[in-house]
Amino acid sequence: MSSNTKRSLKGQGSQLADNFYQLKILNDSVKAGKFTGFREKLAEHGLGTLKPTGVDILQVNVGYMCNQVCKHCHVDAGPDRREIMTRETMEHCLEVLRRTHIPTVDLTGGAPEMNPDFRWFVEEIRKTGSKVLVRCNLTIIRANKKYYDLPEFFRDHQIEVVSSLPYYNRRRTDSQRGDGVFDDSIEALKMLNEVGYGQPGTGLILNLVYNPTGAFLPAPQASMEAEFKRNLKEDFGIEFNSLYNITNIPISRFLDYLIASKNYEAYMTKLVNGFNPVAAQGVMCRNTISVGYDGYMYDCDFNQMLGIKVKTAQTHIKDFDLESLTRRDIMLDQHCFGCTAGAGSSCGGEIA
Amino acid sequence: MSETYYDPADLAKFGDIKDFQPDLAKKFFAWYGAVFQEGALTAREKSLIALAVAHAVQCPYCIDAYTSDALEKGCDEAQMMEAVHVSAAIRGGASMVHGVQMMNKAKDLLM
């Protein structure tokens, strides 16, 4: 059950690396009458086009390179991915932050720390006054000597750390993220705890992310958080602040898994039947702009991976215009059911 | 194509039982939904009980449904298998405890 694949779908030359092919699969099911279309579902609940509430978060994907090849990765990240954000594009992001004072910058990848300009970028963002959140896969801290001091770097810049740990045991974690990932993640969490992350009174926030390790929806966030806290404390002495539940979105490698395991239709049925209009109104694309490694802007990281850019005249970060972005219609497609099912899902966990 | 009494696709048609008797079905589903709400027992505990009972009554639909449900309530594999052992222990115990009845009868009949 463990993942032994060390190459991305793109590296394998898989048809599913093609975003048009992914969208075709998702939309063919609608055409075949198997599922309701996402826009149709919104309309059924009296919700028209989704509009932004503002831009509170600039989520910047600094590159698709990663030391892991997780089975559910919507980015199709891996060691073989070479797409990386240049310092020039980072400068464009910084210019936007100086001008607009977006309160939070959410750094993601791949493993964002593998971008050679990662530390410089963090330092420059902090100078603008924005808070920095980094989506750290944990094992990067243990991957190479040059990353061993990341916990201190995070602490020194008051970075909020958000890390995936799909389960509090080895089998489930390694089955999704690769052999040995659980043990390395535990060691990395201990290192973060040692410098003060997740400890009361330090102000250093360490949040974990729970993704289901298969074709099912997440458990209620509060009960899972209690289970994680109890198990990680009892078994390893590890502490953290909050657990975010994130539903797996049926694109890229998770779509590949769903099709290969013959779970695609049943999973989509769960997502569509689980549509929650309250969650739909709180989706993260309403207050977030996602920036790709090449500087193009998207409504979310999932749209980024599907190549669906923001619906504005100018789509590159160098032409960032807050007014036109807050007036835009958010681009929607079938994968959006992933964020609206059950209690809803966002990069900050449950919505409803 | 081979025919069987059970078809996995029928699980999704559970709600169709209302077609033959709507009033009772409505009451049944309302009660069923209420049973699984958080109460004195958590929804997670109820899911594990349902999984155990599904094995006791050997209902393939229920096993399918409550395996998914237990995972979606955050249960791990060991908890789920322990629930099945509870089911098996009660079933086995139910047979074994009747051994006392057998012994009583045998003692009545034997010299």
Side-chain angles (χ1 to χ4, degrees), chain A residues 71-84:
Chain A
K71 275 187 182 171
H72 71 306
C73 182
H74 70 279
V75 178
D76 192 25
D80 58 346
R81 297 300 298 263
R82 295 288 178 263
E83 298 88 339
I84 203 142

Side-chain angles (χ1 to χ4, degrees), chain A residues 14-26 28 255 259:
Chain A
S14 166
Q15 207 174 2
L16 273 166
D18 176 355
N19 48 2
F20 292 106
Y21 184 65
Q22 294 174 48
L23 286 166
K24 181 180 178 322
I25 289 173
L26 293 169
D28 279 354
L255 180 60
I259 293 169

Side-chain angles (χ1 to χ4, degrees), chain A residues 292-312:
Chain A
Y293 73 91
D294 53 2
Y296 284 97
M297 296 185 288
Y298 306 84
D299 298 300
C300 71
D301 208 42
F302 305 114
N303 277 8
Q304 181 182 144
M305 299 315 147
L306 291 169
I308 306 170
K309 291 177 184 147
V310 283
K311 194 181 177 185
T312 48

Side-chain angles (χ1 to χ4, degrees), chain A residues 135 162-167 207-212 217-226 228 242-249 338-339 341 343-352, chain B residues 71-74:
Chain A
R135 294 191 183 265
V162 182
S163 294
S164 281
L165 188 72
Y167 213 64
N207 294 326
L208 297 182
V209 170
Y210 161 72
N211 299 107
L217 297 181
Q221 191 164 279
S223 74
M224 274 319 278
E225 183 180 289
F228 266 68
S242 300
L243 185 76
Y244 294 159
N245 275 2
I246 300 188
T247 303
N248 290 311
I249 306 296
C339 289
S345 178
S346 74
C347 287
E350 273 183 9
I351 299 167
Chain B
L71 288 169
E72 290 183 349
K73 294 290 186 297

Side-chain angles (χ1 to χ4, degrees), chain A residues 38-53 275 277 280-283 285-286 299 303 310-311 324-333 336 340:
Chain A
F38 187 73
R39 286 185 197 82
E40 203 181 325
K41 185 63 98 175
L42 282 180
E44 275 175 24
H45 291 268
L47 301 166
T49 310
L50 280 183
K51 302 291 278 188
T53 55
F275 178 83
Q281 290 170 75
V283 281
C285 48
R286 299 191 69 194
D299 298 300
N303 277 8
V310 283
K311 194 181 177 185
S324 60
L325 283 166
T326 46
R327 274 191 282 110
R328 78 191 193 278
D329 290 342
I330 290 166
M331 300 294 285
L332 307 166
D333 214 303
C336 300
T340 59

Side-chain angles (χ1 to χ4, degrees), chain A residues 61-200:
Chain A
N61 192 314
V62 297
Y64 300 165
M65 188 182 282
C66 191
N67 59 316
Q68 292 183 186
V69 190
C70 303
K71 275 187 182 171
H72 71 306
C73 182
H74 70 279
V75 178
D76 192 25
D80 58 346
R81 297 300 298 263
R82 295 288 178 263
E83 298 88 339
I84 203 142
M85 184 174 274
T86 61
R87 195 178 274 220
E88 185 190 357
T89 306
M90 290 176 178
E91 290 276 15
H92 290 311
C93 296
L94 291 166
E95 199 279 319
V96 168
L97 294 173
R98 290 182 200 114
R99 187 156 48 88
T100 60
H101 307 293
I102 295 169
T104 302
V105 179
D106 181 340
L107 297 177
T108 187
E113 303 88 343
M114 292 179 88
N115 184 310
D117 290 316
F118 170 76
R119 294 189 193 214
W120 171 82
F121 192 34
V122 167
E123 286 162 2
E124 293 301 312
I125 295 168
R126 292 296 288 138
K127 287 179 194 167
T128 70
S130 294
K131 171 180 148 183
V132 176
L133 189 153
V134 65
R135 294 191 183 265
C136 172
N137 72 11
L138 296 173
T139 62
I140 191 68
I141 296 172
R142 306 284 304 162
N144 186 301
K145 210 157 70 177
K146 67 180 174 183
Y147 299 122
Y148 288 177
D149 66 339
L150 277 170
E152 287 84 356
F153 176 79
F154 293 156
R155 176 199 61 200
D156 294 346
H157 295 85
Q158 298 286 299
I159 297 176
E160 184 175 318
V161 178
V162 182
S163 294
S164 281
L165 188 72
Y167 213 64
Y168 46 76
N169 70 27
R170 184 176 293 106
R171 202 203 71 74
R172 285 240 200 135
T173 301
D174 288 2
S175 74
Q176 182 190 77
R177 298 174 76 77
D179 292 341
V181 166
F182 183 75
D183 291 343
D184 282 340
S185 299
I186 292 297
E187 288 310 307
L189 285 169
K190 286 179 180 169
M191 290 167 73
L192 287 163
N193 276 175
E194 274 167 26
V195 302
Y197 273 96
Q199 306 295 322

Side-chain angles (χ1 to χ4, degrees), chain A residues 21 23-34 264 334:
Chain A
Y21 184 65
L23 286 166
K24 181 180 178 322
I25 289 173
L26 293 169
N27 283 289
D28 279 354
S29 310
V30 180
K31 284 180 199 153
K34 287 177 182 165
Y264 170 68
Q334 284 307 95

